[in-house]
Amino acid sequence: MYLVGFYSPKAKSGVTELALSIYNWLKLNTNTAAAFISYGKLEKEETSNELIHEFSKLSLTEQKRKVKLMKNEYDIIIYDASSQLSEGVLKLLPIVDRLFVVGEEHTDFAVKLQKIIQFDKIFDKSVKNFITHLRGSKTFIIRENKEDRVIGFNYSKNETNTIGQMVYTDYVTRYLEEKFIEKNIKIFKKILRIPKKDLYKGLHELGIDFEKALLFHEYVFLREALGQDYQEALENLFPLLINSTYKEIFEKFQNEINFIKKVKLL
């Protein structure tokens, strides 16, 4: 369901060790079904259906197909993309849900990588979604251990726990959002099937309080009277129906009417 990528442009940066520690942390501290994919070869770990390596040997199409199948089977997949900046890695990174660029010295690299992909997306649409993963909270620069500055990436048990918690929190949030969105999409589709003149009746039959349903009906028809398309009005006001109380909707409805009256008086 949820694919988390770990990457560093620097060879022998400890990305694989870090990614494996997060994978093991998830298996030990959560009840999620976790899996691990390594772009390169793993020397010590015993591979299985949930822990695979040498992903680079598969074609891009096979990689995407494999990830799609695994997303249906596992809750969280840790993707160890450590290697030099190859075309294969760059092609697969766009499908991750969350990307960690390892090493605080790579802050500039993350920015440069974003610019490269922004340029590439003009010619290759497969990378267009990756842009969002290098903005804001979607990119994490995992810091090196300040007390032991050596070449490569150093991590402690504390950092593993912090990053593991972050990954798990992201997964839970994503899961809840998807379920909430799926539920709302189903409700909205049902609302679209209600005859326009019977909107309030249909909403009440779907379980909406009668007064709230009647007010929403009036609000939609107000928007339509102002020139908005009926379906567009439904779509724009739907979040209000789902997330707001009768009182909150009434206040917004009344404010809109008052604003219209003021405009007409001017």
Side-chain angles (χ1 to χ4, degrees):
M1 174 188 173
Y2 191 67
L3 180 64
V4 183
F6 287 83
Y7 181 76
S8 173
K10 185 168 61 178
K12 298 181 180 180
S13 57
V15 177
T16 297
E17 290 83 356
L18 173 66
L20 278 168
S21 74
I22 301 304
Y23 164 70
N24 290 322
W25 184 93
L26 290 167
K27 291 181 69 68
L28 183 64
N29 295 282
T30 72
N31 60 357
T32 57
F36 186 89
I37 296 173
S38 178
Y39 191 75
K41 184 178 180 180
L42 296 175
E43 301 291 344
K44 301 177 182 179
E45 287 68 29
E46 186 174 336
T47 58
S48 63
N49 289 333
E50 72 174 43
L51 197 155
I52 61 177
H53 71 159
E54 297 187 314
F55 213 53
S56 57
K57 291 186 176 182
L58 301 178
S59 67
L60 180 63
T61 300
E62 290 174 320
Q63 289 175 356
K64 290 186 175 181
R65 186 183 65 82
K66 181 69 174 176
V67 168
K68 185 176 181 180
L69 290 172
M70 291 183 74
K71 278 187 136 185
N72 290 331
E73 186 176 355
Y74 298 99
D75 299 319
I76 304 176
I77 304 167
I78 301 297
Y79 172 47
D80 163 31
S82 57
S83 75
Q84 295 180 352
L85 186 57
S86 65
E87 184 178 352
V89 169
L90 195 59
K91 289 281 188 180
L92 191 61
L93 284 180
I95 69 174
V96 303
D97 298 301
R98 182 73 73 176
L99 174 68
F100 289 82
V101 178
V102 178
E104 67 172 350
E105 77 278 19
H106 298 315
T107 305
D108 291 339
F109 165 77
V111 174
K112 290 176 182 177
L113 184 57
Q114 177 182 337
K115 291 179 180 178
I116 292 170
I117 296 171
Q118 282 177 325
F119 178 77
D120 286 350
K121 75 173 182 175
I122 299 172
F123 307 100
D124 187 350
K125 293 181 180 179
S126 67
V127 300
K128 65 181 180 179
N129 292 329
F130 184 41
I131 301 301
T132 58
H133 299 302
L134 286 174
R135 287 181 177 161
S137 62
K138 288 289 184 181
T139 295
F140 296 95
I141 305 300
I142 305 172
R143 299 180 178 277
E144 290 187 8
N145 189 329
K146 291 290 187 181
E147 297 177 0
D148 186 16
R149 299 286 293 186
V150 296
I151 296 175
F153 179 80
N154 301 285
Y155 66 91
S156 65
K157 289 182 180 179
N158 180 57
E159 285 172 317
T160 298
N161 181 68
T162 300
I163 298 165
Q165 290 281 5
M166 189 185 297
V167 170
Y168 181 66
T169 300
D170 282 346
Y171 158 73
V172 171
T173 302
R174 173 69 173 272
Y175 177 83
L176 292 175
E177 285 177 349
E178 284 193 356
K179 292 302 177 184
F180 184 71
I181 290 170
E182 287 173 7
K183 180 182 177 181
N184 283 349
I185 288 173
K186 289 178 181 178
I187 294 172
F188 185 67
K189 286 181 177 178
K190 289 180 180 179
I191 292 175
L192 287 176
R193 291 196 291 266
I194 300 172
K196 186 192 294 190
K197 62 182 178 64
D198 296 324
L199 179 59
Y200 70 96
K201 292 180 182 177
L203 290 173
H204 185 53
E205 289 172 0
L206 288 176
I208 305 296
D209 178 77
F210 183 77
E211 289 186 349
K212 187 175 180 180
L214 187 59
L215 176 60
F216 184 78
H217 177 106
E218 294 296 328
Y219 207 158
V220 170
F221 277 67
L222 171 66
R223 288 288 182 86
E224 192 179 25
L226 293 171
Q228 191 171 28
D229 177 75
Y230 174 72
Q231 185 169 324
E232 186 181 350
L234 275 179
E235 188 172 342
N236 290 345
L237 294 173
F238 178 70
L240 202 60
L241 176 69
I242 297 299
N243 301 317
S244 304
T245 63
Y246 172 86
K247 182 180 178 181
E248 289 169 336
I249 297 174
F250 180 78
E251 287 177 356
K252 287 182 178 293
F253 178 68
Q254 197 64 49
N255 288 338
E256 202 158 316
I257 290 177
N258 291 337
F259 177 76
I260 295 167
K261 289 178 179 179
K262 287 180 181 179
V263 170
K264 286 185 175 181
L265 290 172
L266 290 176

